[in-house]
């Protein structure tokens, strides 16, 4: 009986794992003083942790089977990018901004983002992440305003890598797995395997 229960538990665990796809990417903020997250999202959670570096966890839930999620990932729907714009380092997923329909209705993706950083980082209301430097302490060590600004600029430079963990979760029920999934992009219908987001740019 115990052996049968163990088999059932292992099967259920395997099924749950099959519903999740994870992609990891390491980005270099190139000593910028701000990191901004441009992935579409209503709320970004920020917390301090005891480890070095910056970790961004992005969880995207969609009501499609895991194999369709795989095809969307291969098509570049969830491709992550890091680039400098006007002195700030932006982390984004540009193809998430591309309008996509599924079976005639807007394709729904629920996105949750949480950021873990050393405790000397803060995040403002515009989802901009930066180092919290005690300017008065630095001023006391500086002999001139010019030296102060040089020290502040050096101390605010973000040298930590940004490790982005993107997890894709299928919320589709077993009964819906056999449905046909047709996506509409730029007025044309495609299966997930045939999607090409480069044509939408």
């Amino acid at each position: 009986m115990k052996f049968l229960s163990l088999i059932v538990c292992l099967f259920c665990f395997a099924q749950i794992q099959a519903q999740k796809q994870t992609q990891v990417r390491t980005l270099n903020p190139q000593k910028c003083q701000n990191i901004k997250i441009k992935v579409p999202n209503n709320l970004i959670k920020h917390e301090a942790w005891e480890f070095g570096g910056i970790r961004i966890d992005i969880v995207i839930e969609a009501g499609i089977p895991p194999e369709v999620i795989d095809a969307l990932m291969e098509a570049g729907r969830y491709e992550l990018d890091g680039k400098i714009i006007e002195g700030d380092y932006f982390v984004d997923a540009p193809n998430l901004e591309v309008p996509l329909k599924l079976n005639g209705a807007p394709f729904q993706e629920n996105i949750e983002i949480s950021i873990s950083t050393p405790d000397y980082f803060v995040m403002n209301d515009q989802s901009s992440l930066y180092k919290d430097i005690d300017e008065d302490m630095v001023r006391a060590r500086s002999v001139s305003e010019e030296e102060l600004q040089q020290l502040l600029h050096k101390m605010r430079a973000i040298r930590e890598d940004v490790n982005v963990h993107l997890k894709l979760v299928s919320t589709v029920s077993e009964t819906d797995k056999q449905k046909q999934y047709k996506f509409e992009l730029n007025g044309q219908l495609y299966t997930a395997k045939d999607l090409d987001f480069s044509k939408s740019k």
Side-chain angles (χ1 to χ4, degrees):
M1 186 67 175
K2 286 183 179 179
F3 179 75
L4 182 60
S5 297
L6 178 62
I7 294 295
V8 170
C9 287
L10 287 174
F11 177 78
C12 291
F13 177 77
Q15 288 294 100
I16 292 170
Q17 289 302 106
Q19 303 292 311
K20 298 180 180 180
Q21 316 295 326
T22 303
Q23 178 184 24
V24 180
R25 176 134 185 230
T26 299
L27 303 172
N28 181 354
Q30 303 173 56
K31 299 183 182 179
C32 288
Q33 297 192 6
N34 296 286
I35 296 175
K36 298 187 175 182
I37 314 299
K38 283 193 66 181
V39 176
N41 177 262
N42 293 326
L43 178 65
I44 298 178
K45 299 177 184 176
H46 175 230
E47 64 180 7
W49 68 347
E50 298 178 356
F51 304 99
I54 300 166
R55 174 168 171 152
I56 300 176
D57 286 286
I58 303 173
V59 179
I60 300 177
E61 294 183 345
I64 52 177
E67 58 270 20
V68 180
I69 286 182
D70 283 343
L72 284 180
M73 184 185 286
E74 288 177 17
R77 176 68 172 176
Y78 306 111
E79 183 178 320
L80 297 169
D81 192 19
K83 57 191 170 192
I84 297 175
I85 302 176
E86 297 179 355
D88 294 327
Y89 191 77
F90 283 80
V91 176
D92 68 351
N95 291 331
L96 275 176
E97 302 280 357
V98 177
L100 192 63
K101 288 186 176 182
L102 173 60
N103 296 338
F107 180 43
Q108 299 295 320
E109 293 153 301
N110 181 50
I111 303 172
E112 296 181 2
I113 301 174
S114 60
I115 304 176
S116 303
T117 67
D119 59 8
Y120 50 83
F121 277 92
V122 294
M123 190 172 68
N124 63 21
D125 293 339
Q126 288 77 43
S127 300
S128 182
L129 193 70
Y130 58 92
K131 289 183 176 178
D132 185 17
I133 304 296
D134 187 338
E135 190 169 321
D136 291 335
M137 183 187 72
V138 180
R139 188 182 300 278
R141 295 165 42 193
S142 307
V143 296
S144 67
E145 184 66 24
E146 182 181 358
E147 184 182 8
L148 170 66
Q149 295 306 320
Q150 288 175 350
L151 279 172
L152 287 173
H153 185 79
K154 185 176 181 180
M155 294 174 73
R156 288 174 176 152
I158 299 174
R159 295 175 171 83
E160 294 85 350
D161 283 338
V162 178
N163 295 304
V164 184
H165 293 244
L166 174 66
K167 181 182 290 184
L168 305 173
V169 181
S170 169
T171 60
V172 71
S173 66
E174 288 292 327
T175 56
D176 287 336
K177 282 190 175 181
Q178 304 306 316
K179 285 173 55 178
Q180 293 292 316
Y181 294 89
K182 289 285 187 178
F183 291 90
E184 184 179 329
L185 178 65
N186 297 329
Q188 299 291 321
L189 289 178
Y190 302 92
T191 64
K193 292 181 179 179
D194 296 327
L195 281 169
D196 184 356
F197 286 94
S198 65
K199 294 179 181 178
S200 65
K201 298 175 182 177

